[in-house]
Amino acid sequence: MIQILHFNLSLASSPKSIPQGCFVEKEKSEKLLTDNYASFSSNSDPKAVIVYCSTVARDKGHEYFAVRNQIECWTSKDIADTYNKYGKSDNCAGGVGKEMANFVYRIQA
């Protein structure tokens, strides 16, 4: 179930997220990241989306997460081993992936 989130979050309570980079994502059966665990309103600030995605990922016990389509939080059970399978993408900006691109982060323990 996808959560649409609208809330204020303190930067102090958010985990430190280490950028891994921008990577290609495929469609349907070739999709690497399969768990869309949160989405935000289309006018959300990219930095806020990253903070929200990292916080929800941490709270769900994920070490890695990605931002796709500028407002969607994604992960998968094997993200650490597969996020770079299709290579780097240039379809990211401001720390978030655009269409068919995942900007991947690792949460620092």
Side-chain angles (χ1 to χ4, degrees):
M1 178 177 190
I2 299 172
Q3 297 176 339
I4 305 293
L5 302 174
H6 304 280
F7 59 90
N8 291 325
L9 188 64
S10 166
L11 288 176
S13 68
S14 66
K16 179 171 171 89
S17 300
I18 302 165
Q20 304 300 296
C22 182
F23 298 92
V24 173
E25 179 61 282
K26 300 282 184 166
E27 293 186 29
K28 303 188 186 199
S29 65
E30 295 182 289
K31 192 176 282 191
L32 296 172
L33 306 184
T34 55
D35 180 10
N36 178 206
Y37 63 86
S39 293
F40 301 90
S41 63
S42 61
N43 61 347
S44 295
D45 173 55
K47 289 180 184 177
V49 171
I50 296 163
V51 169
Y52 295 153
C53 289
S54 69
T55 301
V56 176
R58 177 200 59 204
D59 293 350
K60 289 178 159 278
H62 300 300
E63 181 181 1
Y64 287 82
F65 70 94
V67 180
R68 184 187 314 156
N69 295 324
Q70 299 175 302
I71 58 167
E72 299 172 356
C73 306
W74 289 83
T75 195
S76 66
K77 64 181 170 129
D78 56 354
I79 184 174
D81 299 322
T82 63
Y83 70 82
N84 59 0
K85 180 178 179 179
Y86 301 128
K88 292 209 174 244
S89 173
D90 60 359
N91 200 23
C92 293
V96 299
K98 296 183 180 180
E99 187 174 347
M100 302 314 297
N102 296 312
F103 199 103
V104 178
Y105 293 87
R106 187 178 133 269
I107 297 173
Q108 185 173 15

